[in-house]
Amino acid sequence: MGNWVVNHWLSVLVLATWLGLNVFLFVHAFLSYDKADKYYYTREILGSALAWARASARCLNFNSMLILLPMCRNLLSFLRGTCSFCRRTLRKQLDHNLTFHKLVAYMICLHTAIHIVAHLFNFERYSRCRQATDGSLASVLSSLAHQEKEGGSWLNPIQSPNTTVIYVTFTSIPGLTGVIITIALVLMVTSSMEFIRRSYFEVFWYTHHIFIIYFIGLGIHGIGGIVRGQTEESMEESHPYTCAESFEKWGDHNSHCKRPQFEGLPAESWKWILAPAVLYMFERILRFYRSQQQVVITKVIMHPSKVLELQMNKRGFSMEVGQYIFVNCPSISYLEWHPFTLTSAPEEDFFSIHIRAAGDWTESLTKAFEQQHSPVPRIRVDGPFGTVSEDVFQYEVAVLVGAGIGVTPFASILKSIWYKLRHADHNLKTQMIYFYWICREIGAFAWFNDLLASLEQEMEDLGKVGFLNYRLFLTGWDSNIAGHAAVNFDKATDALTGLKHKTFFGRPMWDHEFCTIATAHPKSVVGVFLCGPPALAKSLRKCCHQYSSLDPRKVQFYFNNENF
């Protein structure tokens, strides 16, 4: 627990601040509507459901203001660049943008549910009070001057006892926009589930853009002022504490209490969401402008295991290690953009990506480039955008863990290291790199065999054999593969990959690996970088906490997970 606090204290602080603001806004709004004299008569009809509805609405507005900010990728990349000299703990907060986006979405769902339930009670009470004939204060308030609706003296939006709640819901701006907002939110949340997002990315991509309808509906939701309070002038003439008990004499010449006048609450949501919406609009305009710039495909390579490599050029394109881009192919889908990690190094005169055919869009793209006699498909590129891997050279020791195609960000890092060593870059802070690559198929290792072989040779020539310690793990094999490896085990090179390091069968024993690294570097700051599945992330995060010392002068493991 102690190590976890040391590594995540700032994340906990940010999360606690966000939760604290939600609690403060909810409680403040709840007490305001539950105690304020302005809403005394409104509470006579609605009871405490008024405060529940308004408090949840306040938190909905607050979180809707925040939901777009983590998705402003250019803003995050800018902040990452300006924070390059900031403390590591501060920079790491930018890597949790998607996690924070999801947490804010969950909070929106929670307050939406509270808001809907509260208004269901509100409308039921509006209807019941409008139909009541018992002469109670609530029934009198419900029947106030509907014939003078333009005059603003009404309190109950249901105009007659025969009007149904359904009718009011679908004929009023707040009711209709509320239904639309709820449907949009349900569609966005359900299509964001891990299974759908992984297996049917197109469904997730298109459905998530309903957020435009959500924000437009939210901005105009409060127009119409269904929830009303007593006007200031009316309160001065007929304060509820002095006139509520004598409601039967309202309007009599002998009574000092006049009929109360009411006004609708002004729309507030647009004030909360205007600034982030404008910021996000500029973000999208910038991304659209960059995506229209011409991309020249200089080389196409088909690798084993259905992996397509594209080498490209684009005017003014500048990148750092581990960054990613969004790619669009108009001939497949004009609107779909998919993220891919850059596998080239900043020192190279081109940028490249590796695409594994694992879905409808990627399979269509692979087939389009496999057709030899057809023109090369047009590609549009947006980016690059920053990721956690940019910080890899800020650590004395780096542990890189890639699973399958998850090796792509580390290909960029290893290529950059190769260039740095060739040019004797004295600014390189990193002293040693541990690289783990876990693959299910033996053919997958062929993607970067040449790169690893070049690095092996370069290390020998420079006398830095120990700088790169890499291990390849094969998790899917049969008896023929295992037998072939065993027969040729005594050879200088690996029988499966041709590299000097032997391929291991199975998965790494992470406790053993972390214990070995901690022993070899007892006073170093170790950055652990992963691009792989959640189960592997959970294991590595646990090891980072377990093997980090509570003494800041001793070994510290910092877990960094690729997340885009």
Side-chain angles (χ1 to χ4, degrees):
M1 182 65 181
N3 290 335
W4 187 89
V5 173
V6 168
N7 286 326
H8 297 281
W9 68 269
L10 186 55
S11 298
V12 173
L13 179 62
V14 172
L15 187 61
T17 302
W18 170 65
L19 290 173
L21 286 172
N22 273 280
V23 172
F24 169 76
L25 290 172
F26 189 93
V27 172
H28 181 268
F30 188 94
L31 294 178
S32 297
Y33 286 93
D34 196 51
K35 302 296 182 182
D37 297 341
K38 179 181 178 73
Y39 306 105
Y40 179 91
Y41 290 123
T42 313
R43 291 194 297 271
E44 280 294 320
I45 299 177
L46 303 180
S48 62
L50 168 68
W52 283 98
R54 300 309 301 169
S56 57
R58 183 71 57 82
C59 291
L60 264 173
N61 290 334
F62 171 65
N63 287 283
S64 295
M65 177 186 70
L66 297 178
I67 192 74
L68 287 178
L69 297 180
M71 305 315 296
C72 293
R73 301 178 189 272
N74 285 296
L75 175 63
L76 295 178
S77 295
F78 172 77
L79 293 175
R80 185 183 296 279
T82 55
C83 288
S84 58
F85 298 103
C86 300
R87 288 176 59 88
R88 182 182 296 109
T89 308
L90 182 61
R91 291 199 310 274
K92 279 176 66 65
Q93 304 315 307
L94 299 176
D95 305 323
H96 302 314
N97 63 313
L98 288 185
T99 301
F100 185 66
H101 177 76
K102 293 175 184 178
L103 289 175
V104 173
Y106 295 147
M107 188 65 75
I108 288 176
C109 292
L110 172 63
H111 288 293
T112 297
I114 296 173
H115 191 70
I116 291 173
V117 171
H119 272 314
L120 288 175
F121 280 101
N122 288 337
F123 273 105
E124 189 274 333
R125 287 170 179 168
Y126 273 139
S127 178
R128 185 176 60 191
C129 291
R130 190 67 185 90
Q131 295 173 4
T133 57
D134 56 359
S136 63
L137 176 57
S139 65
V140 171
L141 290 169
S142 296
S143 59
L144 274 179
H146 270 285
Q147 65 274 17
E148 304 171 4
K149 195 166 183 178
E150 291 82 7
S153 59
W154 61 279
L155 182 59
N156 191 327
I158 298 181
Q159 301 182 27
S160 72
N162 298 324
T163 304
T164 65
V165 172
I166 299 295
Y167 177 82
V168 176
T169 300
F170 287 95
T171 57
S172 63
I173 294 177
L176 184 59
T177 55
V179 172
I180 294 173
I181 290 171
T182 303
I183 294 174
L185 186 62
V186 169
L187 289 174
M188 286 189 291
V189 172
T190 53
S191 65
S192 300
M193 292 189 297
E194 188 74 13
F195 169 74
I196 294 178
R197 192 163 56 86
R198 295 291 181 186
S199 303
Y200 306 99
F201 184 83
E202 295 81 1
V203 175
F204 160 76
W205 177 262
Y206 287 118
T207 309
H208 227 59
H209 282 75
I210 300 177
F211 82 91
I212 299 173
I213 297 175
Y214 172 86
F215 276 96
I216 293 174
L218 185 63
I220 63 176
H221 181 60
I223 297 177
I226 282 185
V227 177
R228 300 166 71 83
Q230 192 174 2
T231 64
E232 294 295 332
E233 296 80 3
S234 178
M235 289 184 65
E236 293 177 1
E237 297 176 348
S238 305
H239 197 280
Y241 286 158
T242 58
C243 296
E245 294 182 356
S246 58
F247 67 91
E248 295 176 346
K249 299 180 180 180
W250 286 348
D252 289 354
H253 295 292
N254 298 329
S255 174
H256 67 280
C257 293
K258 299 181 179 179
R259 285 191 178 90
Q261 300 293 310
F262 301 97
E263 60 183 356
L265 301 182
E268 293 183 352
S269 297
W270 68 270
K271 300 176 183 178
W272 290 84
I273 64 176
L274 180 61
V278 171
L279 179 63
Y280 189 76
M281 189 182 302
F282 278 112
E283 162 89 7
R284 297 302 299 222
I285 291 173
L286 175 59
R287 291 176 62 177
F288 175 78
Y289 169 75
R290 292 195 309 192
S291 68
Q292 298 304 306
Q293 295 175 333
Q294 184 181 10
V295 176
V296 178
I297 300 176
T298 58
K299 196 172 185 179
V300 178
I301 305 173
M302 288 302 304
H303 292 284
S305 301
K306 297 183 179 180
V307 174
L308 169 68
E309 178 183 355
L310 298 179
Q311 296 183 7
M312 297 166 280
N313 276 320
K314 181 180 177 181
R315 184 179 178 183
F317 189 90
S318 177
M319 62 164 288
E320 297 294 335
V321 294
Q323 291 186 329
Y324 68 96
I325 58 175
F326 277 92
V327 175
N328 169 263
C329 183
S331 61
I332 299 175
S333 173
Y334 192 81
L335 297 177
E336 280 188 56
W337 291 81
H338 292 255
F340 295 97
T341 306
L342 291 165
T343 54
S344 53
E347 293 84 356
E348 293 178 309
D349 58 358
F350 63 89
F351 64 95
S352 65
I353 55 175
H354 284 64
I355 303 170
R356 181 168 61 91
D360 294 341
W361 189 89
T362 51
E363 287 180 357
S364 298
L365 185 68
T366 302
K367 291 178 181 177
F369 278 98
E370 283 178 336
Q371 297 175 3
Q372 299 180 356
H373 302 292
S374 301
V376 176
R378 180 189 167 209
I379 292 293
R380 295 193 295 172
V381 169
D382 178 27
F385 301 105
T387 68
V388 62
S389 295
E390 288 184 49
D391 296 335
V392 65
F393 297 133
Q394 301 294 325
Y395 293 90
E396 300 168 9
V397 179
V399 178
L400 314 179
V401 182
I405 197 66
V407 74
T408 50
F410 309 131
S412 175
I413 294 169
L414 294 176
K415 286 182 181 179
S416 185
I417 288 173
W418 185 79
Y419 281 101
K420 291 178 184 298
L421 292 177
R422 288 196 65 187
H423 296 91
D425 187 349
H426 299 291
N427 296 322
L428 183 60
K429 181 179 179 180
T430 306
Q431 300 173 0
M432 188 167 183
I433 289 180
Y434 293 87
F435 174 50
Y436 299 86
W437 189 5
I438 308 165
C439 283
R440 190 176 302 166
E441 303 172 5
I442 187 63
F445 290 125
W447 300 341
F448 300 114
N449 259 12
D450 293 341
L451 171 62
L452 293 174
S454 300
L455 281 169
E456 280 184 335
Q457 188 60 46
E458 193 70 24
M459 302 303 168
E460 288 187 3
D461 295 342
L462 296 173
K464 295 185 177 182
V465 177
F467 180 84
L468 175 64
N469 185 335
Y470 71 86
R471 298 191 178 191
L472 309 181
F473 290 84
L474 182 64
T475 59
W477 73 91
D478 55 26
S479 57
N480 293 331
I481 295 176
H484 179 65
V487 170
N488 296 277
F489 184 80
D490 294 331
K491 290 186 177 181
T493 58
D494 184 61
L496 303 180
T497 63
L499 299 170
K500 295 181 180 179
H501 283 62
K502 303 295 183 179
T503 300
F504 294 87
F505 292 86
R507 302 180 185 278
M509 299 176 62
W510 292 116
D511 285 313
H512 172 74
E513 300 295 336
F514 272 79
C515 183
T516 301
I517 295 171
T519 303
H521 309 278
K523 297 183 178 180
S524 296
V525 178
V526 183
V528 179
F529 296 84
L530 167 69
C531 187
L536 182 55
K538 183 178 180 180
S539 299
L540 293 179
R541 186 181 287 108
K542 179 181 177 182
C543 288
C544 285
H545 298 158
Q546 181 178 347
Y547 290 95
S548 290
S549 173
L550 288 174
D551 187 347
R553 296 168 297 179
K554 295 183 179 180
V555 63
Q556 299 290 325
F557 289 91
Y558 289 90
F559 180 70
N560 304 272
N561 191 14
E562 286 289 332
N563 196 15
F564 55 83

